[in-house]
């Protein structure tokens, strides 16, 4: 029997009932755990947890991640700057530099900006007060409805709906879906204020692979960035990275609005994910592709 790939699903916030804590990613966790190989063996072993702190204020798992037996980290950065300590960052960097794969995602404005200290990953995510988008024409609010949220935010649609995404040629293997009529992933869950991601020109091993389009302004925005393995200056074969513009691509509420959301979410939801089954099939195909590609 082949040993399953060990995936850590981790938020950067403590467990809180009325927040986007890890229990709100239960559909993602269950789906990953359900994937089997041709012999019926589980492909993935999934551990899901929120941030906790030890006596020194560090997360005991993230700060020692480079010494762990996890194969992948899926980091849902939901803080506004205080979600990772220097020791946590060092642990994640060591994990990455030993060749382990990482998915990172965040949301609007400065949500997730504690990731700025992470090697490579910090360059892929743009925030309002840290590492802003080098294109300063994007330093403006895109979402016209939730006016208290500043840039970057891109209005791809209501929570509970789906968006038709644009694939960047050549189509990346992360976006293939043999069960789709086109052979590729076409739909992603939507969110009223997705965050900003991108690639610096010197990152030759990274590229934007999918775009969304704002329903408010018609403006394209980067939806997914993929960074492939490379050998760094110290001779480490660094692991692969996937960066998504919003954690709402993965959270229960955006796969099934009946799962509910924190009370501070005040935008009216849609029901597109219920009426178009291919949308849920596509995001699950993407999740499976990410887990296999990062491995």
């Amino acid at each position: 029997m082949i040993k399953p790939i060990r995936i850590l699903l981790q938020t950067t916030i403590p467990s809180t009932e009325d927040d986007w804590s890890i229990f709100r990613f239960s559909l993602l966790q269950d789906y990953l755990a359900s994937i089997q190989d041709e012999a019926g063996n589980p492909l993935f072993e999934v551990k899901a947890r929120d941030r906790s702190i030890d006596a020194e204020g560090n997360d005991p798992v993230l700060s020692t991640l480079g010494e762990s037996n996890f194969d992948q980290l899926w980091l849902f950065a939901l803080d506004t700057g205080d979600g990772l300590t220097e020791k946590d960052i060092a642990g994640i960097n060591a994990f990455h530099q030993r060749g382990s794969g990482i998915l990172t995602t965040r949301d609007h404005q400065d949500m997730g900006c504690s990731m700025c200290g992470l090697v490579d990953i910090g360059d892929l995510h743009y925030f309002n007060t840290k590492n802003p988008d080098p294109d300063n024409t994007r330093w403006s609010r895109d979402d016209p409805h939730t006016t208290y949220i500043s840039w970057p935010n891109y209005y791809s649609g209501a929570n509970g709906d789906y968006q038709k995404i644009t694939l960047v040629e050549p189509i990346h293997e992360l976006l293939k879906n043999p069960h789709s009529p086109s052979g590729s992933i076409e739909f992603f869950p939507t969110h009223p204020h997705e965050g900003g991601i991108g690639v610096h020109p010197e990152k030759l091993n990274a590229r934007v692979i999918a775009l969304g389009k704002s329903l408010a302004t018609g403006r394209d925005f980067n939806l997914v960035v993929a960074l492939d393995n490379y050998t760094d200056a110290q001779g480490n074969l660094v692991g692969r990275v996937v960066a998504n513009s919003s954690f709402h691509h993965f959270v229960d509420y955006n796969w099934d609005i009946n799962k509910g959301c924190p009370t501070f979410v005040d935008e009216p939801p849609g029901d597109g994910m219920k009426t178009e089954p291919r949308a849920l099939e596509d995001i699950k195909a993407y999740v499976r592709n990410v887990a296999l590609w990062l491995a």
Side-chain angles (χ1 to χ4, degrees):
M1 179 177 172
I2 299 174
K3 187 178 180 182
I5 297 162
R6 299 200 71 218
I7 299 176
L8 172 62
L9 306 181
Q10 168 87 41
T11 74
T12 59
I13 58 172
S15 298
T16 307
E17 182 71 25
D18 195 29
D19 207 341
W20 295 110
S21 298
I22 200 65
F23 76 91
R24 296 191 186 273
F25 295 82
S26 65
L27 296 178
L28 171 67
Q29 181 180 357
D30 292 347
Y31 174 64
L32 282 169
S34 75
I35 299 173
Q36 299 177 339
D37 63 18
E38 294 179 354
N41 301 311
L43 279 177
F44 307 106
E45 179 183 324
V46 186
K47 169 72 173 178
R49 64 185 298 274
D50 289 310
R51 175 174 178 77
S52 63
I53 56 172
D54 60 19
E56 298 176 347
N58 304 306
D59 184 285
V61 174
L62 293 180
S63 62
T64 58
L65 199 62
E67 306 156 24
S68 73
N69 61 356
F70 288 109
D71 301 299
Q72 296 178 23
L73 168 64
W74 292 38
L75 185 65
F76 305 105
L78 312 178
D79 61 276
T80 54
D82 58 352
L84 298 171
T85 66
E86 289 186 10
K87 194 170 180 181
D88 298 337
I89 289 170
I92 296 170
N93 283 338
F95 180 78
H96 188 205
Q97 289 162 346
R98 77 179 195 189
S100 299
I102 303 177
L103 176 137
T104 58
T105 186
R106 36 71 69 94
D107 207 40
H108 57 259
Q109 200 169 330
D110 276 342
M111 184 177 283
C113 66
S114 64
M115 293 192 294
C116 284
L118 297 174
V119 174
D120 293 327
I121 293 165
D123 295 333
L124 302 178
H125 289 274
Y126 301 144
F127 301 99
N128 184 278
T129 63
K130 295 183 178 181
N131 193 38
D133 193 318
D135 178 1
N136 61 13
T137 67
R138 292 182 176 269
W139 295 5
S140 60
R141 181 167 46 82
D142 184 271
D143 172 13
H145 306 294
T146 312
T147 55
Y148 55 84
I149 291 176
S150 190
W151 60 268
N153 64 28
Y154 296 99
Y155 185 81
S156 65
N159 293 313
D161 279 335
Y162 64 87
Q163 57 184 307
K164 185 79 164 61
I165 69 175
T166 299
L167 309 186
V168 179
E169 298 285 349
I171 297 175
H172 197 281
E173 61 187 284
L174 284 171
L175 300 171
K176 301 291 179 67
N177 182 3
H179 303 294
S180 165
S182 66
S184 300
I185 290 167
E186 300 178 38
F187 305 115
F188 256 46
T190 54
H191 180 54
H193 25 81
E194 306 209 23
I197 56 175
V199 176
H200 288 249
E202 68 272 14
K203 287 288 184 185
L204 301 179
N205 57 317
R207 68 182 182 96
V208 176
I209 64 171
L211 305 174
K213 183 182 285 291
S214 167
L215 297 184
T217 63
R219 188 169 206 179
D220 290 338
F221 64 93
N222 297 333
L223 196 74
V224 185
V225 170
L227 184 149
D228 213 337
N229 295 99
Y230 70 97
T231 302
D232 67 13
Q234 290 74 44
N236 302 305
L237 182 61
V238 177
R240 288 171 164 172
V241 172
V242 177
N244 273 68
S245 57
S246 178
F247 73 90
H248 283 273
H249 302 153
F250 304 99
V251 78
D252 290 355
Y253 185 57
N254 291 76
W255 288 20
D256 178 0
I257 55 170
N258 291 332
K259 287 289 188 177
C261 61
T263 57
F264 55 75
V265 177
D266 54 12
E267 301 93 355
D271 64 354
M273 293 294 287
K274 285 187 172 295
T275 59
E276 177 49 81
R278 284 174 53 203
L280 186 58
E281 292 166 7
D282 269 357
I283 193 61
K284 285 184 173 181
Y286 175 71
V287 163
R288 187 180 191 278
N289 291 348
V290 168
L292 291 173
W293 191 72
L294 290 179

